[in-house]
Amino acid sequence: MSIHSVARNQSHLVWDNSIQPILRIKSGDTVKFDCLDASNGQITPEVTVESVASLVFSNLDQVNGPIFVEDAQPGDTLKVEVLSMKTADWGWSACIPGFGLLSDEFLEPALKIWKLNTKEGYAYFNEEKGIKIPLNPFAGEMGVAQKEKGPFSTIPPYNTGGNIDTKHVTAGATLYLPVEVEGALFSMGDGHAAQGDGGTAIETPIVAELRLSVLKDRPYTRTPHFKTPAINVSNEEYYCTTGIEPDLREASRAALRHMIQYLVQEYDLDPVEAYMLCSVAGDLRMHEVVDMPNYLVGMMMPSSIFSHRRS
């Protein structure tokens, strides 16, 4: 099968089926993507927090493509095999005013520039305190064009993919997307070095290799489906805080808020540090959704990222 390349500047800022494809490939071909970070190059290792406050939001979350896959027709499924995913040696996380689960509580911009040890697969959140995050590279944005005329923002997820921000779609995983237009018009971007379930990430440029194939026998693919590589969480311990509310979002906010309070008290982090740590390392999970009127959502923090244990 052929191998194709997509350059950093071959990107677009909205989902729109009228955008002309940058290349055409056969089903089963491999495409190598070279993608800038989600800031579209506005944040670099040298910038300060002032750059967060001055971000041009209309330039965020660009995606590279689109790719026209021959034989892909509406009603088909695009099979996206993630062959490899490599980050840069740096990344960033930020509190961006107006964004995030607790955006009404964290009003000031904040920025953390990470040094990524890609050879050994980790990054220190705080080396002095021994808080170390394992790297798990993936692309937050993978999607195909919608049948409706655009433009549609790249910020949210859709039934056709987009900003799915799912940490399990890493190297070795397979993503399945419903095709709504001829050629599928696949695009991707928004590289992440690590992220918790439900959080935001260590943003970073990525180089990814994907194999794109058309499947004709999956009429049940109406939203993104995915198959993970083997996930090994053996011998991991977690500390979990919970939120119990009649609204799932409010239960999630409460669980996150309680974890921030725990990290501030037990690990001597300031609230902004704790908020960022939850985003890149903590997993939000629905634990109880059947006994009305309340939902129980947990924020699970892996103990292995800390050099010392707490009771």
Side-chain angles (χ1 to χ4, degrees), residues 288-301:
E288 219 281 54
V289 297
V290 298
D291 294 320
M292 297 298 98
N294 290 334
Y295 300 95
L296 190 148
V297 174
M299 165 60 77
M300 302 181 65
M301 185 64 63

Side-chain angles (χ1 to χ4, degrees), residues 95-108 198-200 249-261 271-272 274-276 278-279 284 299:
C95 289
I96 301 175
F99 280 81
L101 194 57
L102 298 181
S103 59
D104 57 331
E105 299 177 25
F106 289 82
L107 303 177
E108 297 300 319
T200 55
R249 186 171 189 275
E250 289 306 313
S252 299
R253 282 164 51 88
L256 172 57
R257 191 181 298 116
H258 297 156
M259 181 59 77
I260 290 170
Q261 294 167 351
V272 172
Y275 188 29
M276 284 190 182
C278 288
S279 187
L284 274 173
M299 165 60 77

Side-chain angles (χ1 to χ4, degrees), residues 126-143:
N126 186 312
E127 188 168 3
E128 181 181 347
K129 296 179 180 177
I131 304 175
K132 187 165 68 172
I133 308 300
L135 302 184
N136 181 48
F138 70 99
E141 295 260 10
M142 290 189 184

Side-chain angles (χ1 to χ4, degrees), residues 25 47 54 71 113 140 170 174 188 193 201 204 227 238 281-282 289 297:
I25 69 171
V47 302
S54 62
D71 297 328
I113 300 296
T170 186
T174 302
M188 69 156 291
T204 182
K227 180 174 66 176
Y238 294 86
V289 297
V297 174

Side-chain angles (χ1 to χ4, degrees), residues 193-267:
Q195 179 187 297
D197 279 331
T200 55
I202 302 176
E203 309 286 348
T204 182
I206 54 168
V207 175
E209 288 194 20
L210 310 177
R211 181 181 296 118
L212 305 179
S213 305
V214 178
L215 303 179
K216 301 288 186 179
D217 58 350
R218 290 176 61 99
Y220 49 83
T221 307
R222 301 300 183 196
T223 61
H225 295 194
F226 60 91
K227 180 174 66 176
T228 73
I231 298 175
N232 183 4
V233 293
S234 62
N235 299 318
E236 181 64 277
E237 296 179 5
Y238 294 86
Y239 188 89
C240 185
T241 57
T242 64
I244 302 172
E245 299 286 345
D247 177 86
L248 272 174
R249 186 171 189 275
E250 289 306 313
S252 299
R253 282 164 51 88
L256 172 57
R257 191 181 298 116
H258 297 156
M259 181 59 77
I260 290 170
Q261 294 167 351
Y262 166 77
L263 293 171
V264 168
Q265 178 69 34
E266 295 295 326
Y267 290 95

Side-chain angles (χ1 to χ4, degrees), residues 4-212:
H4 308 267
S5 295
V6 177
R8 288 187 172 188
N9 63 348
Q10 294 178 300
S11 64
H12 53 101
L13 290 163
V14 294
W15 299 101
D16 192 324
N17 61 29
S18 68
I19 297 175
Q20 293 300 303
I22 61 170
L23 61 86
R24 300 172 68 100
I25 69 171
K26 296 183 182 298
S27 176
D29 282 359
T30 296
V31 184
K32 183 176 182 180
F33 293 82
D34 185 1
C35 305
L36 278 172
D37 67 285
S39 78
N40 212 353
Q42 295 181 78
I43 293 181
T44 68
E46 294 77 30
V47 302
T48 62
V49 70
E50 285 72 24
S51 295
V52 175
S54 62
L55 283 172
V56 179
F57 285 83
S58 60
N59 289 339
L60 298 180
D61 274 1
Q62 80 289 350
V63 288
N64 291 59
I67 311 299
F68 186 101
V69 185
E70 294 179 3
D71 297 328
Q73 297 293 331
D76 294 342
T77 294
L78 186 67
K79 177 182 179 182
V80 182
E81 297 172 86
V82 184
L83 305 180
S84 67
M85 192 77 62
K86 298 179 180 179
T87 73
D89 61 1
W90 71 278
W92 63 273
S93 299
C95 289
I96 301 175
F99 280 81
L101 194 57
L102 298 181
S103 59
D104 57 331
E105 299 177 25
F106 289 82
L107 303 177
E108 297 300 319
L111 175 67
K112 177 176 178 58
I113 300 296
W114 299 75
K115 181 179 180 181
L116 307 182
N117 186 332
T118 57
K119 183 176 181 180
E120 298 184 43
Y122 69 86
Y124 272 109
F125 178 79
N126 186 312
E127 188 168 3
E128 181 181 347
K129 296 179 180 177
I131 304 175
K132 187 165 68 172
I133 308 300
L135 302 184
N136 181 48
F138 70 99
E141 295 260 10
M142 290 189 184
V144 294
Q146 301 178 49
K147 62 184 176 183
E148 291 84 6
K149 293 291 184 183
F152 298 97
S153 169
T154 55
I155 299 297
Y158 303 96
N159 286 349
T160 49
N163 199 13
I164 58 176
D165 270 356
T166 302
K167 71 175 185 179
H168 304 292
V169 186
T170 186
T174 302
L175 177 67
Y176 302 91
L177 296 170
V179 176
E180 292 191 354
V181 299
E182 183 182 5
L185 300 180
F186 175 85
S187 300
M188 69 156 291
D190 187 22
H192 295 165
Q195 179 187 297
D197 279 331
T200 55
I202 302 176
E203 309 286 348
T204 182
I206 54 168
V207 175
E209 288 194 20
L210 310 177
R211 181 181 296 118
L212 305 179

